[in-house]
Amino acid sequence: MKAKPLNIYVALLRGVNVGGNNMISMRELKESFQGMGFGEVATYINSGNIIFQTKETDARKLEKKIEKMLVKEYELASKVVVRSLEEMEQLVNSLPRNWDSDSGWRYYVIFLRHTIDSEDILTDVPPKEGIEEVFYRPGTLLWSAQVDALTRTNINKLASRKLYQEMTIRNTNTTKKLYELMKKARTNR
């Protein structure tokens, strides 16, 4: 009987290695993930992006397990968002085709924790017309804004709200690269 292939996930750690705060070595983090029994662990850039394989199918269980490890091993109460390869594929395929075509704009993917994952979130973060756009996709908000107006956007004001603790942000290039690395992990198993 052939063994069932492992599931491929990415863990997105919130607020790690940002602005000199919550500093964690990616090498040590990789070792911690391996110590939890995850396979084929790889990190991408220094901001808490970890790709791994596991038999577990419940992303919420994985988030809790990783959060407990972060507290125990690093004394860091960081929230974690876990997405499967399939979820990342749907997300990347749903990105607007014109994103990244205008250097006068910045493009971000805001990953939502399950506690706030609803299209209703758009009522809490209405875009300022003419300088930003926000679209909901399951598990995410797609946000773009004019570079010269970033500090005036409504999304920028999120940092002062409790809601902000339930999300983590990556730029479009990082999101696409994580998806490519996850696809590569699938072919390597």
Side-chain angles (χ1 to χ4, degrees), residues 71-179:
V71 169
K72 182 179 178 184
E73 294 187 26
Y74 300 98
E75 298 178 1
L76 178 63
S78 177
K79 302 245 178 142
V80 177
V81 174
V82 172
R83 292 292 188 260
S84 69
L85 173 60
E86 292 77 18
E87 290 170 315
M88 289 294 283
E89 180 174 42
Q90 289 173 0
L91 169 62
V92 169
N93 288 338
S94 77
L95 292 173
R97 298 290 175 223
N98 65 336
W99 270 32
D100 294 338
S101 62
D102 186 342
S103 63
W105 285 70
R106 292 287 182 265
Y107 305 91
Y108 296 95
V109 177
I110 302 173
F111 290 90
L112 307 172
R113 288 176 50 88
H114 65 282
T115 54
I116 62 169
D117 183 11
S118 166
E119 193 165 5
D120 294 339
I121 196 169
L122 290 173
T123 60
D124 290 329
V125 289
K128 270 194 184 169
E129 197 166 323
I131 63 169
E132 69 183 324
E133 294 180 333
V134 181
F135 305 100
Y136 174 81
R137 299 289 189 271
T140 58
L141 291 177
L142 304 180
W143 172 50
S144 59
Q146 290 181 353
V147 172
D148 61 359
L150 283 172
T151 59
R152 298 190 325 262
T153 64
N154 280 336
I155 291 280
N156 193 47
K157 296 174 186 171
L158 269 178
S160 63
R161 298 180 55 202
K162 187 176 181 181
L163 182 69
Y164 187 66
Q165 302 303 313
E166 298 296 313
M167 53 183 67
T168 188
I169 303 170
R170 300 299 186 271
N171 67 38
T172 313
N173 291 337
T174 297
T175 301
K176 289 177 180 178
K177 182 63 176 181
L178 289 170
Y179 171 59

Side-chain angles (χ1 to χ4, degrees), residues 58-69:
D58 187 333
R60 302 300 82 78
K61 285 182 182 178
L62 291 168
E63 289 170 350
K64 288 177 186 174
K65 182 176 181 177
I66 295 165
E67 288 170 356
K68 285 180 184 178
M69 177 276 297

